[in-house]
Amino acid sequence: MAQKKASLKVLAAHLGLTVSTVSRALNGYSDINEQTRARVKRAADELGYRPNQTARRLSLGAPETICYLMPHDANVLAQPFVAQLLQGLSDVLTKRNWDLLIGNAESYKDELSLIDRLVKSGRVGGFVVSRPLVNDPRIRLMQDLKCPFVVHGRTGSCADYAWYDVDGEAAVVTAVDHLVELGHEKIAFIGAPNQYQFSQDRLCGYQRALVENGLSEVPGYVQTADFSDEGGEVAAGMLLDLPEPPTAIICATDSMAFGALAALRSQGFAPGEDVSVIGYDGLSFGAHTNPPLTTMVQPQAHAGRRLGDMLLSVIDGEDPKKHQELQKAYLVQRKSDGPLRRKEVKPTVSVREETHET
Amino acid sequence: MAQKKASLKVLAAHLGLTVSTVSRALNGYSDINEQTRARVKRAADELGYRPNQTARRLSLGAPETICYLMPHDANVLAQPFVAQLLQGLSDVLTKRNWDLLIGNAESYKDELSLIDRLVKSGRVGGFVVSRPLVNDPRIRLMQDLKCPFVVHGRTGSCADYAWYDVDGEAAVVTAVDHLVELGHEKIAFIGAPNQYQFSQDRLCGYQRALVENGLSEVPGYVQTADFSDEGGEVAAGMLLDLPEPPTAIICATDSMAFGALAALRSQGFAPGEDVSVIGYDGLSFGAHTNPPLTTMVQPQAHAGRRLGDMLLSVIDGEDPKKHQELQKAYLVQRKSDGPLRRKEVKPTVSVREETHET
DNA sequence: CTGAAAGCGCTTACAG
DNA sequence: CTGAAAGCGCTTACAG
């Protein structure tokens, strides 16, 4: 077993050199005799020396650490992207020997003070923030603090900072166009809470696509729900209770679409036949719903790595405006969409009970 | 806006005191005049002073940071518990002003060197490790390094360290008993890769329950698959191809159960009627499968907080053996289980195509 | 090419 | 009750 603490001092004593020579040898300074450097490196290996990062960072005046701000607003379980994002971020940071910190607060207010503390206490050199609000106080704070950051998503005005996003507006246009091609005209939309920019984007896509397809918006066809399946179920229920229920429903998230499918089935409609449903996210789990969910897939396998690269670039002093990346979502057709049934849609099957969690 | 750097030195100069007095005033030392302390605190507030944690930690010789080792073995997306766990951990740590670091490696080998580096470089004072192997080299390493840790799960010999686990053996016994009550005798088991201790535990539960119910193990009734739905689907397919296919299948994870449901449907069996399926995890998403999945629910809402509390206690010097906690899983019945059909099970429905992701 | 020294921003015995 | 000083383990000008 290696003995407890292998510091520069110990190494230096062991080698009959000074701390400063050892440090420079290890850090690749060119003014060190190559023979000396080799001796130092070997000794460092033998003693299992690992430079104390705390001391190093204090000396450098750089925390070499970035923080991922965990989404706290909604059910975290409905956000399977988090683990994947963290892996990608971590991959990028580990190569530089930087650390990835988790920032977690219970409210936006707490989150602001967390950010302030992390920056002013010198613990963090940059942030990644997901799913921003239309007008996001966290972003304003980080700008005030002049702390580098990159946004996973965008806000209303996103010209001045680095971001990585998927084009939600275009994606929903794609979904509407697809439904129109299938003959649908009564197309409804279940949106996410409107404080989120992505909710706005997706809603805009819906509205724009209606116009482009010469359809007019039917009162009551736009519902808003929280991210959960229950939210989607309730909202879909409202749609079905309308005097003229829609023949197709687009949901702003897959979770909500799961709920919409449940609502349809429990009222005796066959999703994908009587009423089409299209989700948004591309959760792999959607392959297992009843019927399997047609959805707009977000290509987010690389989001974490891209965000990490962008943030490191910004920290290195590059212009954040040069790091803005918009990805496209694409339609994956499973079984929850289908051609319009020309006859009037009425529940024909007997109403089945579906089990849901309490 | 607060001016850039409010250090102890700046504060002290501002107040006409020394750094050491200011430091002690802020840190609640009793030998400070209360009036002075009040002055200092007010000034600190006004200047937006936040103690530099890097310096503090260097001085204290304690990183005040713990690391969560991300599972890297399987599809991270199939591990929705990660985000929840991180939140719980973070909650506990934030209160103490400790940091939560993410450790991520691509292999166990890399992970070992990561652990070594994090400990020896003084960046981390403890670890949380999930889903241990039967004989886990990470645990041995942390023990060798004398670095505090807590295990989310257990290994074969778990007497000497702190852990938090759900009793997988008991859970599967519950599942088998339930199926036996429903009249099933031909009960199969799809296990997870056997290097994981939890796989062993759940398999043991299956075998023990068979014995306790006077059933004998049928050759081919135990399949092993990776965590994915595809794995479960393939394994279930093998079971159905047996000369005497089972009438009930228990899966070691919900993901695998999703695949098993798909396999059954694609071969024309009605899950929950022709063949019962019980999963393990309690993913809320299981309410949306076809049919909704009956499953053993792990109560893991508090896992993160408990693990955090335990780790902090161990770091504080408490005996790890005193921090071992075994939770019970419970059965949530949805629609994928049902009474044994006494007649011979044959696919009667025409074979339907199910869509899966590529 | 190597060494002696100052400094990063804290904490904490030790004086007075 | 407050101050002067040493130390945590590094980095990095500055000498020689």
Side-chain angles (χ1 to χ4, degrees), chain B residues 14 26 161 175 181 254 265 285 293 335 345-347 356:
Chain B
H14 180 78
L26 258 18
Y161 57 79
E181 274 175 37
D254 277 358
R265 291 195 311 269
F285 179 72
L293 182 69
K335 301 281 188 193
V345 171
K346 287 281 181 221
H356 291 289

Side-chain angles (χ1 to χ4, degrees), chain B residues 185-350:
Chain B
E185 298 186 338
K186 299 182 196 163
I187 302 171
F189 181 77
I190 301 179
N194 56 28
Q195 75 255 37
Y196 300 106
Q197 181 62 39
F198 84 89
S199 305
Q200 304 287 340
D201 295 340
R202 297 178 195 179
L203 177 59
C204 283
Y206 168 74
Q207 293 167 328
R208 199 186 94 201
L210 286 191
V211 172
E212 288 176 358
N213 285 287
L215 300 171
S216 52
E217 196 174 317
V218 177
Y221 269 25
V222 172
Q223 297 286 330
T224 299
D226 66 23
F227 295 112
S228 67
D229 48 359
E230 288 92 347
E233 189 168 358
V234 171
M238 313 267 291
L239 291 173
L240 296 176
D241 284 346
L242 291 173
E244 189 123 22
T247 63
I249 303 173
I250 296 174
C251 299
T253 73
D254 277 358
S255 291
M256 295 193 296
F258 300 155
L261 294 178
L264 287 170
R265 291 195 311 269
S266 77
Q267 297 208 20
F269 294 96
E273 298 176 16
D274 298 329
V275 178
S276 289
V277 174
I278 298 186
Y280 190 123
D281 273 341
L283 301 189
S284 61
F285 179 72
H288 296 288
T289 50
N290 178 17
L293 182 69
T294 294
T295 183
M296 298 304 302
V297 176
Q298 307 205 58
Q300 54 188 350
H302 304 108
R305 304 181 70 94
R306 293 298 303 128
L307 286 162
D309 285 334
M310 291 163 89
L311 181 52
L312 289 174
S313 299
V314 172
I315 290 174
D316 283 346
E318 288 184 28
D319 184 358
K321 300 190 199 91
K322 301 214 165 141
H323 294 278
Q324 300 179 334
E325 203 169 313
L326 192 59
Q327 296 287 323
K328 290 282 176 199
Y330 53 93
L331 181 74
V332 165
Q333 236 184 313
R334 295 193 189 109
K335 301 281 188 193
S336 67
D337 64 310
L340 175 68
R341 293 198 155 179
R342 285 296 165 188
K343 45 199 155 195
E344 193 58 25
V345 171
K346 287 281 181 221
T348 48
V349 195
S350 67

Side-chain angles (χ1 to χ4, degrees), chain A residues 50 99 116 123 229 285, chain B residues 50 99 116 123 229 285 288:
Chain A
R50 307 281 190 183
D99 288 335
D116 186 74
R123 275 190 282 187
D229 48 358
F285 179 71
Chain B
R50 307 279 191 184
D99 289 334
D116 186 73
R123 276 191 281 187
D229 48 359
F285 179 72
H288 296 288

Side-chain angles (χ1 to χ4, degrees), chain B residues 53-275:
Chain B
Q53 294 298 327
T54 308
R56 177 163 193 278
R57 288 164 183 178
L58 176 60
S59 181
L60 291 175
E64 298 187 330
T65 300
I66 73 113
C67 172
Y68 177 70
L69 295 168
M70 289 276 281
H72 50 78
D73 31 35
N75 182 357
V76 70
L77 292 179
Q79 317 193 331
F81 69 87
V82 170
Q84 201 181 16
L85 202 73
L86 290 175
Q87 281 201 338
L89 280 172
S90 177
D91 283 349
V92 170
L93 295 173
T94 302
K95 289 200 181 98
R96 283 236 220 164
N97 207 17
W98 280 47
D99 289 334
L100 173 57
L101 217 66
I102 293 299
N104 185 39
E106 291 181 2
S107 67
Y108 287 106
K109 186 156 164 287
D110 287 355
E111 198 172 358
L112 291 177
S113 90
L114 175 66
I115 292 169
D116 186 73
R117 223 173 330 125
L118 289 174
V119 172
K120 292 200 178 146
S121 67
R123 276 191 281 187
V124 151
F127 291 92
V128 177
V129 52
S130 283
R131 192 169 277 179
L133 304 177
V134 173
N135 186 349
D136 201 303
R138 301 170 298 180
I139 292 177
R140 288 200 305 275
L141 175 58
M142 292 183 291
Q143 287 175 324
D144 283 351
L145 291 169
K146 302 205 189 319
C147 178
F149 66 96
V150 51
V151 180
H152 182 210
R154 283 171 293 170
T155 55
S157 57
C158 59
D160 290 338
Y161 57 79
W163 50 262
Y164 175 100
D165 199 7
V166 172
D167 191 339
E169 182 175 338
V172 175
V173 168
T174 302
V176 172
D177 287 351
H178 175 70
L179 290 168
V180 169
E181 274 175 37
L182 289 171
H184 294 276
E185 298 186 338
K186 299 182 196 163
I187 302 171
F189 181 77
I190 301 179
N194 56 28
Q195 75 255 37
Y196 300 106
Q197 181 62 39
F198 84 89
S199 305
Q200 304 287 340
D201 295 340
R202 297 178 195 179
L203 177 59
C204 283
Y206 168 74
Q207 293 167 328
R208 199 186 94 201
L210 286 191
V211 172
E212 288 176 358
N213 285 287
L215 300 171
S216 52
E217 196 174 317
V218 177
Y221 269 25
V222 172
Q223 297 286 330
T224 299
D226 66 23
F227 295 112
S228 67
D229 48 359
E230 288 92 347
E233 189 168 358
V234 171
M238 313 267 291
L239 291 173
L240 296 176
D241 284 346
L242 291 173
E244 189 123 22
T247 63
I249 303 173
I250 296 174
C251 299
T253 73
D254 277 358
S255 291
M256 295 193 296
F258 300 155
L261 294 178
L264 287 170
R265 291 195 311 269
S266 77
Q267 297 208 20
F269 294 96
E273 298 176 16
D274 298 329
V275 178

Side-chain angles (χ1 to χ4, degrees), chain A residues 30-76:
Chain A
S30 59
D31 60 353
I32 297 286
N33 183 315
E34 277 309 324
Q35 211 169 322
T36 308
R37 191 196 305 283
R39 270 182 68 216
V40 171
K41 286 201 164 173
R42 196 152 41 76
D45 275 357
E46 282 168 5
L47 302 187
Y49 171 70
R50 307 281 190 183
N52 182 309
Q53 295 298 327
T54 308
R56 175 161 195 278
R57 288 163 184 179
L58 175 60
S59 181
L60 292 175
E64 298 189 328
T65 300
I66 73 114
C67 173
Y68 177 70
L69 295 167
M70 289 276 282
H72 50 78
D73 31 35
N75 181 357
V76 69

